[in-house]
C-alpha cells in the first residue's frame, strides 16, 4: 500500500477492503461525475465491480503501470474522491496520465489540488517520471482551474477524443514536466 499525506488529505492506494466505500462514493456521484465520463452500466456502481477494479489496480501497481488512490479527508478519514496515475510509460517516454474526481459535496475544499500535488510528487520523485498529462473537458472549468493552480499548462486541443454520454467530446491536453514541477517546488520552498 502507498500512502501520501498532505495537510488536508491522505491519498492511499485502494485495497480490497475499500470496495464498499468506493462503490458508495461512485454511486453517490453518478450524475455529477457522469457529465464528464463515459456511460457506465448499473453494475459499475456495485461493490462487486468496484472490488474487481481494485483487484486489477493492485495488479497494475505491482507492475508499476497504474496507481489508483482514494482521497481521504485527513480529519475523519472519509473517502472524498479518487485520483489515478495511469498509462505509465517507461523509456523513452517516462510519462503518465492523471485523472481525478472529488465528491460533489467536497468540491472547493482543496482536496483535488492537494491530491494532484501529492501524486505529482510521487510520480516525479518516486517513479522518476519526466512528464504528467491530464485530459479535461473544455466545459469542466473547475478542473481546468485546479490543473492550472497545480502547475499544469494547456498544451493542446484534442478533437473528438472521448465518447461520453452518446457523443464524441473534445478535450484539452494539460501537462507538467519534472523540471517545471521542481522549479515550482523550489520557489514554494524558498518563499
Amino acid at each position: 500500500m502507498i500512502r501520501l499525506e498532505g495537510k488536508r488529505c491522505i491519498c492511499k492506494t485502494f485495497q480490497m477492503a475499500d470496495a464498499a466505500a468506493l462503490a458508495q462514493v461512485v454511486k453517490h456521484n453518478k450524475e455529477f461525475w457522469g457529465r464528464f465520463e463515459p456511460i457506465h452500466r448499473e453494475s459499475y456502481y456495485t461493490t462487486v465491480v468496484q472490488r474487481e477494479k481494485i483487484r486489477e489496480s493492485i495488479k497494475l501497481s505491482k507492475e508499476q503501470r497504474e496507481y489508483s488512490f482514494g482521497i481521504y479527508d485527513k480529519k475523519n478519514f472519509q473517502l472524498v474522491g479518487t485520483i489515478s496515475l495511469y498509462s505509465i510509460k517507461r523509456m523513452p517516454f517516462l510519462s503518465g496520465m492523471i485523472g481525478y474526481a472529488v465528491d460533489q459535496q467536497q468540491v472547493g475544499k482543496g482536496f483535488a489540488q492537494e491530491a494532484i500535488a501529492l501524486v505529482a510528487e510521487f510520480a516525479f520523485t518516486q517513479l522518476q517520471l519526466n512528464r504528467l498529462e491530464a485530459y479535461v473537458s473544455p466545459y469542466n472549468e473547475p478542473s481546468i482551474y485546479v490543473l492550472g493552480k497545480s502547475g499544469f499548462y494547456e498544451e493542446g486541443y484534442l478533437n473528438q477524443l472521448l465518447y461520453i454520454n452518446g457523443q464524441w467530446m473534445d478535450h484539452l491536453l494539460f501537462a507538467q514536466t519534472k523540471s517545471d514541477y521542481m522549479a515550482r517546488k523550489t520557489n514554494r520552498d524558498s518563499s
Side-chain angles (χ1 to χ4, degrees):
M1 179 184 64
I2 298 167
R3 181 184 170 105
L4 311 172
E5 192 164 334
K7 291 180 182 175
R8 65 176 62 89
C9 74
I10 294 167
C11 293
K12 178 185 77 69
T13 48
F14 284 117
Q15 303 300 302
M16 299 304 285
D18 299 318
L22 180 57
Q24 184 177 10
V25 169
V26 169
K27 186 172 185 172
H28 178 257
N29 289 281
K30 178 180 178 180
E31 289 182 29
F32 183 67
W33 292 351
R35 298 174 300 158
F36 303 112
E37 290 185 352
I39 295 173
H40 299 291
R41 294 180 181 185
E42 277 306 308
S43 61
Y44 178 82
Y45 304 98
T46 65
T47 301
V48 171
V49 170
Q50 294 306 313
R51 186 176 296 117
E52 286 310 307
K53 285 179 51 83
I54 290 170
R55 186 184 322 279
E56 179 68 13
S57 175
I58 291 169
K59 176 183 172 281
L60 292 171
S61 70
K62 288 177 182 174
E63 298 169 1
Q64 295 188 344
R65 293 174 42 207
E66 178 179 304
Y67 298 87
S68 294
F69 298 89
I71 304 170
Y72 295 87
D73 185 331
K74 196 170 178 180
K75 289 184 291 192
N76 58 16
F77 209 68
Q78 176 186 353
L79 181 63
V80 296
T82 66
I83 185 166
S84 295
L85 175 60
Y86 62 99
S87 293
I88 296 172
K89 298 176 186 165
R90 295 295 167 193
M91 287 300 271
F93 297 101
L94 287 180
S95 66
M97 302 283 301
I98 64 162
Y100 51 89
V102 173
D103 182 279
Q104 60 188 329
Q105 294 176 328
Q106 304 298 328
V107 170
K109 297 181 181 178
F111 290 118
Q113 187 174 345
E114 187 170 76
I116 291 168
L118 291 169
V119 171
E121 171 91 12
F122 171 72
F124 292 133
T125 62
Q126 300 286 323
L127 300 181
Q128 296 296 312
L129 298 184
N130 183 59
R131 178 182 171 83
L132 290 178
E133 297 178 351
Y135 297 144
V136 62
S137 166
Y139 306 108
N140 191 344
E141 293 175 10
S143 191
I144 292 169
Y145 175 78
V146 167
L147 286 169
K149 292 287 285 183
S150 301
F152 284 73
Y153 47 89
E154 185 179 335
E155 281 194 332
Y157 193 86
L158 304 169
N159 191 34
Q160 297 186 15
L161 178 70
L162 294 172
Y163 194 71
I164 297 176
N165 294 323
Q167 60 184 330
W168 286 102
M169 301 291 292
D170 302 342
H171 277 68
L172 302 172
L173 169 62
F174 278 77
Q176 182 177 57
T177 63
K178 184 175 185 175
S179 58
D180 295 332
Y181 172 81
M182 296 308 285
R184 280 176 50 92
K185 182 176 168 66
T186 299
N187 288 340
R188 281 192 314 267
D189 292 347
S190 64
S191 297

